[in-house]
Amino acid sequence: QVQLVGSGGGLAQPGGSLRLSCEASGSIFSIIQMGWYRQAPGKQRDLVARRTRGGSIDYADSVKGRFTILRDYSENTLYLQMNSLKPEDTAVYYCNADVMESATTVRNYWGQGTQVTVSS
């Protein structure tokens, strides 16, 4: 089993910044990819940004140039630095990872979600 624990959400003003963290722990042989998704009320859960083991990064068009994904490999921790926040960034943000638990087992995991609210 693997646990993803997210933190760092909260309230920010438009134009402000927040930094989310997601720490993976448990039976981790290797993390194949790790990223952040978000879900606003009444909407589907969408990709925000993700980073593969090889280092490639994908960003949603809506956050390019404003959000940056960083990973601390030594601690299996993923960060999402969010700058120039907009009200439309308001959502619950979920950490997600594809984790190789052994040479033959890969599972997908979700964190518990952290609320981000952008409002004046």
Side-chain angles (χ1 to χ4, degrees), residues 14-15 31 38-39 47-48 53 59 61 68 88 91 109 115 117:
I31 296 178
R38 67 185 180 187
Q39 187 168 20
L47 174 70
V48 177
R53 181 173 53 188
Y59 292 100
D61 288 342
T68 302
E88 50 264 43
Y109 289 92
Q115 177 70 45
T117 302

Side-chain angles (χ1 to χ4, degrees), residues 34-37 47-51 57-60 63 69 80:
M34 198 168 179
W36 291 94
Y37 289 71
L47 174 70
V48 177
R50 64 186 169 199
R51 182 185 177 116
I57 298 175
D58 296 318
Y59 292 100
V63 306
I69 198 168
L80 184 67

Side-chain angles (χ1 to χ4, degrees), residues 12-53:
Q13 293 187 341
S17 298
L18 286 173
R19 192 179 199 186
L20 305 183
S21 299
C22 176
E23 182 176 1
S25 62
S27 302
I28 299 171
F29 180 74
S30 176
I31 296 178
I32 298 172
Q33 69 86 21
M34 198 168 179
W36 291 94
Y37 289 71
R38 67 185 180 187
Q39 187 168 20
K43 295 189 176 181
Q44 66 181 19
R45 190 174 298 185
D46 292 324
L47 174 70
V48 177
R50 64 186 169 199
R51 182 185 177 116
T52 68
R53 181 173 53 188

Side-chain angles (χ1 to χ4, degrees), residues 1-3 25-28 99 101 107 109:
Q1 280 291 323
V2 172
Q3 296 78 43
S25 62
S27 302
I28 299 171
V99 180
E101 299 180 13
R107 291 193 175 99
Y109 289 92

